[in-house]
Amino acid sequence: MRLILMGPPGAGKGTQAKYVAEKFDIPAISTGDIFRANVSQGTPLGVEAKRYMDAGEYVPDEVTNHMVRNRIDEPDAKSGFLLDGYPRTLAQVEELDGMIAFTGHRLDAVVVLSCDPDELVARLLQRAQTDGRADDTEDVIRRRQEVYLEQTAPLIEVYRERGLLIEVDGMGEVGEVTARVLDALAGVTQS
Ligand code: ADP
């Protein structure tokens, strides 16, 4: 199964990604998590990424694409993967198309979690208190929402046109949302 999980910051992608990946026995690949791991280890990639992340901006496509390509090449991703937080730009969509085509497979579905804008901000501010993520301050949250609307929301139409889009209501309890996502994916045939 090759899946993408999309949605605005705060929609619950990371939370749902874990459950969905487990269900299909595939790795959940989160670009945000990989960047954060690099930041905390102080790698050159982390040093570069941090400048953008702290401002709520996207890390440049070349950097992100290269990182995802390496991750997808790892043995555990051969039979499938769930991408959380990638692609986020049209250039990344094209790059991912190339990566998947190269393996002779295809993308099976793109799940987009939708959520009320006020609820999104409330969740992120809540997370700021519990997790202390550097980019969960009010200004940076606002910037991340803008960047999502400008650069990532248009991807929804791209995948809709390809007939891959599955829209899921991301409001409600975590378990309810997971059930909706799994329900929606039950009808998807795997390549
Ligand atoms: P969010 O909670 O906003 O969905 P993530 O944890 O997925 O955040 O990502 C955190 C940050 O990592 C983003 O704001 C961005 O700077 C960077 N990042 C993650 N994925 C990508 C990507 N595909 N392209 C560019 N930058 C990315």
Side-chain angles (χ1 to χ4, degrees):
M1 194 70 139
R2 287 168 184 76
L3 302 171
I4 294 173
L5 191 55
M6 276 185 64
K13 296 184 297 291
T15 306
Q16 297 302 329
K18 274 191 282 176
Y19 296 117
V20 177
E22 205 168 289
K23 171 84 181 170
F24 291 99
D25 199 20
I26 49 179
I29 300 176
S30 156
T31 44
D33 283 352
I34 303 176
F35 282 134
R36 277 187 290 278
N38 277 276
V39 170
S40 63
Q41 289 159 19
T43 67
L45 173 66
V47 171
E48 161 136 46
K50 188 175 187 333
R51 290 193 285 145
Y52 299 95
M53 295 169 76
D54 285 354
E57 304 294 335
Y58 287 164
V59 177
D61 284 334
E62 315 83 70
V63 176
T64 310
N65 287 335
H66 184 248
M67 184 179 86
V68 171
R69 186 180 288 277
N70 285 340
R71 180 64 189 86
I72 281 181
D73 271 346
E74 284 181 33
D76 67 332
K78 290 280 179 259
S79 63
F81 47 77
L82 183 157
L83 293 171
D84 157 15
Y86 183 93
R88 269 177 148 110
T89 65
L90 289 166
Q92 292 178 11
V93 169
E94 276 181 35
E95 195 72 18
L96 177 65
D97 285 345
M99 291 181 217
I100 296 181
F102 186 75
T103 67
H105 294 279
R106 63 177 172 79
L107 198 56
D108 298 301
V110 178
V111 175
V112 58
L113 293 176
S114 54
C115 210
D116 183 84
D118 290 340
E119 171 72 12
L120 293 174
V121 177
R123 286 182 187 180
L124 292 171
L125 289 173
Q126 172 65 36
R127 186 171 74 186
Q129 292 184 340
T130 53
D131 298 9
R133 248 177 68 167
D135 59 349
D136 279 343
T137 61
E138 203 160 346
D139 281 358
V140 177
I141 289 171
R142 202 167 301 122
R143 181 62 193 145
R144 280 157 58 210
Q145 308 281 12
E146 277 172 17
V147 173
Y148 175 84
L149 286 178
E150 283 163 17
Q151 300 200 43
T152 306
L155 273 51
I156 293 175
E157 294 316 312
V158 171
Y159 288 121
R160 194 195 307 280
E161 276 167 27
R162 294 190 192 178
L164 291 173
L165 196 74
I166 300 176
E167 284 173 287
V168 173
D169 179 3
M171 301 284 284
E173 287 186 14
V174 171
E176 285 169 8
V177 178
T178 309
R180 280 180 214 138
V181 173
L182 294 180
D183 237 29
L185 286 173
V188 171
T189 45
Q190 304 179 28
S191 64

